[in-house]
Amino acid sequence: MVKYLISIFTFLSVSVLGIKAFADKAASSAAPLHEHIVNNSALLSKSLFFGLSALGGGLAIGLGVIGAGVGMGNAVRGALESMGRNPGMEKKLIVWMITGMAIMESLALYALLITFILFYANPFKAIFLK
Amino acid sequence: MLKAPILISIPGIPAYWTMTIIVMGLILSAAFIVGRNLRIVPTGMQSFFELIFIMTEYFLKEIIGEEGGIYLPLIASFAVFILFSNLLGSIPGFTSPTATIDTTAVLALIVFFLSHAVGIKKHKAKYIKKFLGPLIIIAPIMIIIEIMSALSRPFSHALRLFANIFAEEFMVTVLLFLLPWAIPAIMMYMQIFTDLMQAFVFYLLAIIYIALSLEEEN
């Protein structure tokens, strides 16, 4: 468990440093030197914000789908096992299995909604785009 | 955000208003045409509407019980309205009214208020027992949890239908911009299945929420 946490933190810190380096490079290449010193912190915070928003959106849908996938797999396994034992129930079971799967699928779609909010309708965007 | 082009768009009015009115017109004219010459052996459209009627009657009897018959008009109109408005999104140039949170929120709020109103009407003051949990000692904690879960119900009910329909429309739109040839048509065909499924899920959950507040506590 600790190993995974360490690797996640390493990944996060590396990505933050990468964004910082990218912002420095972008600032130094785009703006002249005197503007660069003034704008550097604003640009850094802006690029950190948007980079981490994109990262969070990707992680939200990726981690959200894991749970829905496991749940749907379990549901299909249970339905198939009982269909194998009792083939007469097949039609009824398929209807309820698909209904349950549609409800589980919507859990993944909540995660997708968070991704869309982070990408397209970020509530804190106005602070950083001033 | 990416948006598919919409055929009928009146400036100043949101697109889903026009689409809701189109759906209402479609349902009313279909009901008028079907109701004008009813046959004993149903054909075509009549058998489709009778299927919804019989299915709703069956589920109401199965889940709520004998007293469920009076909810048939409401639940069956939910089924017809949601099904038609989901399917309208499959036609190019139109968009589903249910792809907006406003429409689904109204439908979910109707179910929320109705379910609690009929619960209070049936159980009177005993209705509060549903929120107190099994033991009287842990009631102060349970009441908060139960009220939270009751309040989150219309939220998830509305969000489920909205997110599904919105996501499938968005997927078709993204494919339309990526690969404008043939592939979006396959996705739009797949959309019909999700539309039917989500209409059914919303309708079933509406019945279950009403049944939950009607059942006896013991």
Side-chain angles (χ1 to χ4, degrees), chain A:
Chain A
M1 194 64 214
V2 180
K3 210 167 70 182
Y4 290 117
L5 277 178
I6 288 171
S7 56
I8 287 171
F9 276 119
T10 320
F11 173 67
L12 278 178
S13 50
V14 165
S15 55
V16 167
L17 284 175
I19 292 164
K20 192 171 181 294
F22 179 73
D24 285 346
K25 198 184 165 195
S28 57
S29 65
L33 196 64
H34 59 280
E35 274 182 31
H36 162 217
I37 295 159
V38 178
N39 286 339
N40 197 12
S41 69
L43 199 66
L44 174 64
S45 68
K46 224 186 257 184
S47 45
L48 253 180
F49 171 71
F50 284 111
L52 288 179
S53 293
L55 191 69
L59 281 177
I61 182 66
L63 294 176
V65 160
I66 292 174
V70 170
M72 283 166 84
N74 263 331
V76 172
R77 193 196 60 197
L80 283 180
E81 272 175 4
S82 35
M83 266 182 229
R85 289 212 186 95
N86 185 2
M89 287 284 286
E90 205 165 302
K91 273 183 186 168
K92 251 188 180 175
L93 278 174
I94 281 189
V95 170
W96 289 111
M97 183 189 85
I98 291 178
T99 311
M101 275 167 70
I103 293 175
M104 277 174 240
E105 208 180 84
S106 60
L107 293 179
L109 286 164
Y110 296 158
L112 185 70
L113 218 64
I114 300 293
T115 304
F116 277 131
I117 288 171
L118 283 177
F119 278 3
Y120 294 108
N122 203 316
F124 309 112
K125 202 163 65 182
I127 305 168
F128 288 91
L129 279 184
K130 256 190 310 196

Side-chain angles (χ1 to χ4, degrees), chain B residues 38-160:
Chain B
L38 292 170
R39 301 212 181 87
I40 293 179
V41 181
T43 49
M45 277 299 268
Q46 195 192 336
S47 57
F48 168 73
F49 281 110
E50 277 191 17
L51 173 72
I52 288 176
F53 191 91
I54 292 166
M55 200 173 81
T56 314
E57 211 171 24
Y58 170 77
F59 278 119
L60 286 172
K61 288 271 157 64
E62 198 85 338
I63 296 171
I64 299 182
E66 278 305 311
E67 55 188 342
I70 51 166
Y71 305 110
L72 195 140
L74 178 85
I75 304 291
S77 359
F78 269 171
V80 175
F81 177 71
I82 294 170
L83 187 62
F84 271 69
S85 40
N86 286 354
L87 286 175
L88 193 74
S90 306
I91 306 169
F94 292 85
T95 155
S96 300
T98 39
T100 321
I101 189 93
D102 305 11
T103 315
T104 57
V106 167
L107 295 175
L109 281 177
I110 290 171
V111 175
F112 174 71
F113 284 118
L114 180 91
S115 64
H116 288 293
V118 294
I120 290 167
K121 198 181 164 194
K122 190 184 173 192
H123 299 295
K124 304 279 172 358
K126 280 183 189 164
Y127 188 63
I128 195 116
K129 264 188 177 174
K130 283 196 184 304
F131 296 94
L132 291 183
L135 283 173
I136 202 74
I137 307 161
I138 53 168
I141 305 164
M142 283 305 284
I143 195 164
I144 298 168
I145 297 169
E146 291 284 338
I147 285 175
M148 283 301 287
S149 88
L151 286 180
S152 71
R153 247 183 228 166
F155 190 70
S156 73
H157 199 189
L159 216 58
R160 176 171 296 124

